[in-house]
Amino acid sequence: MSSLFPTYARWEVEPVKAEGSYLIDKKDKKYLDFTSGIGVCNLGHQPETVKEAVQQQLELYWHVSNLFPQIIQEEAAKILADTTGLDRVFFANSGAEANEGAIKLARKATGRTKIITFEKSFHGRTFATMAATGQDKIKEGYGNMLETFVYVPFNDIPALEKEMSTDVAAVMLEVIQGEGGIHVAAEDFLLEVQKLCKKHGSLFIIDEIQTGIGRTGKPFAFQHFNLHPDIVTVAKGLGSGLPIGAVVGSEKLGSYFGPGSHGSTFGGNPISISAAIATMDTIFVDEFLQTVVKNGEYLKELLQNGLKNVPIVKDIRGLGLMVGVELDIPVGGLLKDLREEGLLSLPAGEKVLRLLPPLNATKEQMNEAVHIIQKVMEKSYITA
Ligand code: PLP
């Protein structure tokens, strides 16, 4: 019997090694990994530049605590600040912890408590971020939620207008709702959120935990639009697999996170920070990001052509290399069939197949993935 809490319905694949876009399991079966550890290993498994940076830091020091100034944290913070157009960074260990920090900062800086989030959103599993999440299934059995949050339908400007007032501390959203089903925010909606936040003195928080670090072909997904958020939260891809999260905020918020106001023993751990610097140095490069855009279009086109005669496919959408294929059946069985054929992929919501390939996956690997999806769908999901 397992000694672990059964919080995860684990797959039948037990990994023993992973390199680049591939993973090898205990039975020596090789899989093409289009999960990237759920949007974390954006440079594939064990990227050389990140490995070298981590190895170098391992030889210097592993952990000293945030009692000490650490130049390596300053370096990582500067890259995040410069890239987002913001000014201040707090390092945490995960996405939920980054969002938790953003929620605290917004409440403290505005002196208000109401925060608007969206239906089908996902912001984490801590008490505040679970409450922020617009999905009932995440909250089942945990009793009363934090009353700070109000949920509005995504992309619905009139519904948002109704809830906006000078009582609102912040509006928090994902530019593409990842866990909720790859729902892309409309440009006019995003611009209206920004306008309404300005009008009411509310902060605009963008959760870039799944969409950030190059996933959509820009360093951060909000940069596809003319947006200037007050707070951006980052995690997942930031450390290429080493745990790290960050709250990135504007200068005007700086004084609200003064000494003793917030903290984390492991936040800004130098090993994770070294991974983050190497990751960002590799991804935040125009040529690299342009390839993500091109390959994202290539992948979507392959899917559109390959699956056009599959009746269960309702829609193919996404940005860059964050792609969803909406089905009219639950996706669980398909994911298992794809694994049997050697492709690892993810669900998003109940009926969406989510593909998050490494950002440096080759066109051949995308051909391979779509070939498997097409083969499996045609074999099992088209009734003659
Ligand atoms: N926010 C978004 C948009 C996410 O996709 C996730 C994780 O899937 C989180 C927050 C929570 O991140 P973590 O699991 O690192 O706490």
Side-chain angles (χ1 to χ4, degrees):
M1 197 188 93
S2 171
S3 301
L4 296 166
F5 274 113
T7 43
Y8 306 104
R10 309 245 182 200
W11 290 346
E12 67 291 350
V13 178
E14 194 177 328
V16 290
K17 190 165 170 65
E19 226 171 339
S21 301
Y22 292 94
L23 182 151
I24 293 165
D25 81 353
K26 205 166 90 173
K27 297 176 192 148
D28 217 24
K29 180 166 170 173
K30 190 174 172 184
Y31 296 85
L32 179 58
D33 183 1
F34 271 27
T35 71
S36 299
I38 321 188
V40 168
C41 308
N42 284 3
L43 292 168
H45 295 286
Q46 299 195 46
E48 208 49 47
T49 51
V50 179
K51 199 173 180 177
E52 274 169 24
V54 168
Q55 278 166 346
Q56 269 179 29
Q57 185 58 38
L58 279 169
E59 296 298 327
L60 296 175
Y61 68 95
W62 296 10
H63 176 85
V64 289
S65 90
N66 287 313
L67 292 172
F68 299 88
Q70 295 181 62
I71 190 72
I72 189 168
Q73 285 185 353
E74 293 287 349
E75 206 183 311
K78 173 117 179 56
I79 302 173
L80 278 171
D82 288 351
T83 312
T84 52
L86 292 164
D87 310 285
R88 298 278 177 172
V89 178
F90 176 86
F91 284 114
N93 302 287
S94 67
E97 206 191 322
N99 281 341
E100 191 85 20
I103 291 162
K104 283 176 71 175
L105 182 57
R107 288 179 58 141
K108 193 158 189 218
T110 59
R112 308 172 184 175
T113 53
K114 178 173 171 180
I115 297 181
I116 296 177
T117 61
F118 294 89
E119 290 174 6
K120 297 197 175 79
S121 61
F122 183 79
H123 297 294
R125 300 279 194 162
T126 61
F127 226 87
T129 61
M130 166 175 70
T133 293
Q135 299 185 50
D136 290 343
K137 67 174 188 203
I138 304 289
K139 307 173 193 182
E140 253 164 44
Y142 291 110
N144 292 349
M145 289 292 122
L146 207 66
E147 283 164 4
T148 286
F149 300 98
V150 171
Y151 318 96
V152 166
F154 201 47
N155 282 332
D156 186 337
I157 296 173
L160 177 64
E161 274 170 342
K162 250 189 243 159
E163 285 296 340
M164 285 303 292
S165 69
T166 50
D167 288 339
V168 174
V171 178
M172 176 155 104
L173 57 77
E174 301 152 86
V175 172
I176 305 175
Q177 293 185 326
E179 300 303 311
I182 311 290
H183 300 292
V184 186
E187 181 169 16
D188 62 341
F189 171 72
L190 290 169
L191 294 174
E192 194 60 29
V193 173
Q194 175 161 274
K195 206 166 112 194
L196 289 169
C197 282
K198 238 189 209 124
K199 180 174 164 196
H200 293 98
S202 315
L203 299 176
F204 186 10
I205 305 175
I206 301 193
D207 176 340
E208 289 272 3
I209 286 157
Q210 192 159 151
T211 48
I213 317 295
R215 175 53 59 191
T216 69
K218 297 270 184 195
F220 297 96
F222 77 84
Q223 293 166 328
H224 289 280
F225 312 98
N226 185 19
L227 296 177
H228 305 280
D230 302 285
I231 301 176
V232 171
T233 54
V234 192
K236 283 195 183 282
L238 181 56
S240 283
L242 274 83
I244 182 167
V247 184
V248 191
S250 62
E251 185 57 39
K252 69 176 184 213
L253 302 174
S255 61
Y256 298 99
F257 261 1
S261 59
H262 191 49
S264 166
T265 295
F266 290 123
N269 168 275
I271 307 299
S272 297
I273 289 276
S274 66
I277 293 171
T279 301
M280 291 190 286
D281 280 349
T282 312
I283 293 178
F284 296 166
V285 171
D286 284 347
E287 207 184 317
F288 185 96
L289 292 166
Q290 278 157 19
T291 308
V292 174
V293 172
K294 276 195 210 126
N295 286 352
E297 280 159 12
Y298 182 76
L299 177 59
K300 254 196 287 184
E301 243 176 70
L302 277 183
L303 288 164
Q304 267 147 3
N305 292 333
L307 306 181
K308 63 174 182 268
N309 295 322
V310 181
I312 58 163
V313 172
K314 293 286 139 208
D315 190 22
I316 295 168
R317 56 180 181 254
L319 254 183
L321 287 169
M322 183 165 181
V323 176
V325 179
E326 183 170 348
L327 312 175
D328 67 2
I329 56 163
V331 72
L334 172 68
L335 296 178
K336 190 163 189 304
D337 293 346
L338 293 173
R339 290 199 292 276
E340 264 163 35
E341 293 298 324
L343 176 67
L344 303 176
S345 54
L346 293 161
E350 204 203 335
K351 294 182 176 172
V352 177
L353 167 68
R354 175 173 37 156
L355 299 174
L356 300 176
L359 303 183
N360 53 6
T362 62
K363 285 192 169 164
E364 289 68 36
Q365 289 164 351
M366 293 188 211
N367 294 342
E368 189 187 339
V370 176
H371 176 73
I372 294 173
I373 295 170
Q374 197 177 346
K375 189 170 97 180
V376 166
M377 283 195 179
E378 282 173 2
K379 190 170 116 203
S380 311
Y381 298 92
I382 298 182
T383 38

